[in-house]
Amino acid sequence: KAGVTQTPRYLIKTRGQQVTLSCSPISGHRSVSWYQQTPGQGLQFLFEYFSETQRNKGNFPGRFSGRQFSNSRSEMNVSTLELGDSALYLCASSFRQEDLEAFFGQGTRLTVV
Amino acid sequence: KQEVTQIPAALSVPEGENLVLNCSFTDSAIYNLQWFRQDPGKGLTSLLLIQSSQREQTSGRLNASLDKSSGRSTLYIAASQPGDSATYLCAISGGSYIPTFGRGTSLIVHP
């Protein structure tokens, strides 16, 4: 079966712009979680959506937002980009977040210049 | 707040060695522990998952153990190969199901 698909794979944006990243979970999975990975902070949890509702949110500013559609696809948006937002953004899907195993996409590499 | 530490941060070994990667955590009230592999610039691949009621899991040359009382997990890699070169991450999920990740162990296996 198809894995978790993230688009685009690479993105270059200018400070102050906004960006939208997309994640298509494994078919049948209803929970999608987003993570930011940087060399300095490691992997940090952003938020988790289940059945179009945000259930958990990490410690990130309001510039980071997301949503989930009825087909479980999810998008995350970052507004007013800062240089420090440069990172690998990963999404993971599972049938439910309580499920034991999460499956990750290949990530979107965002560079802010 | 759960804190996860992985030691060593980096490891370089010749092919064929048996390896032990360590993961320690501060809160023993965990739901599960998962070991992942990450190749440079790529996503995470799940290697082994240990539920809180289990003590170990095995897959091929990999064996992971969990000792909640001491707050430790180890990932054992037998007969290492150059293809095992990657960063290995452990992640702990607690009652909120939000995983806390360690910073990883960067492994290089040279021929």
Side-chain angles (χ1 to χ4, degrees), chain A residues 58-77:
Chain A
N59 188 25
F60 278 82
R63 299 185 298 107
F64 291 81
S65 63
R67 60 178 175 169
Q68 186 179 34
F69 302 95
S70 58
N71 62 358
S72 294
R73 188 178 70 87
S74 178
E75 289 181 345
M76 69 163 280
N77 183 276

Side-chain angles (χ1 to χ4, degrees), chain B residues 27-103:
Chain B
D27 185 350
S28 62
I30 71 171
Y31 184 65
N32 67 52
L33 182 148
Q34 197 166 358
W35 282 93
F36 292 91
R37 167 188 172 135
Q38 185 175 31
D39 293 288
K42 301 291 180 62
L44 278 62
T45 300
S46 178
L47 296 173
L48 290 166
L49 172 72
I50 309 179
Q51 301 177 48
S52 64
S53 59
Q54 299 174 324
R55 293 189 65 85
E56 68 176 330
Q57 284 288 343
T58 298
S59 176
R61 295 183 292 110
L62 304 178
N63 173 277
S65 66
L66 173 63
D67 183 344
K68 289 195 301 179
S69 62
S70 65
R72 294 185 64 180
S73 174
T74 60
L75 177 67
Y76 177 82
I77 303 176
S80 58
Q81 303 171 357
D84 295 329
S85 298
T87 296
Y88 291 81
L89 296 149
C90 75
I92 312 282
S93 293
S96 68
Y97 310 116
I98 299 172
T100 301
F101 284 82
R103 300 299 295 272

Side-chain angles (χ1 to χ4, degrees), chain A residues 17-48:
Chain A
Q17 287 186 312
Q18 74 164 10
V19 66
T20 300
L21 311 182
S22 178
C23 173
S24 294
I26 291 172
S27 178
H29 284 191
R30 298 161 65 190
S31 171
V32 174
S33 299
W34 288 89
Y35 299 84
Q36 181 195 65
Q37 187 176 34
T38 60
Q41 299 296 322
L43 249 167
Q44 294 186 289
F45 172 79
L46 279 157
F47 28 65
E48 184 253 348

Side-chain angles (χ1 to χ4, degrees), chain A residues 8 11-21 62-65 67 75-82 85 110-113:
Chain A
L11 207 48
I12 299 176
K13 289 286 189 177
T14 304
R15 272 184 303 174
Q17 287 186 312
Q18 74 164 10
V19 66
T20 300
L21 311 182
R63 299 185 298 107
F64 291 81
S65 63
R67 60 178 175 169
E75 289 181 345
M76 69 163 280
N77 183 276
V78 188
S79 62
T80 319
L81 284 165
E82 301 176 359
D85 297 332
L110 172 65
T111 302
V112 182
V113 297

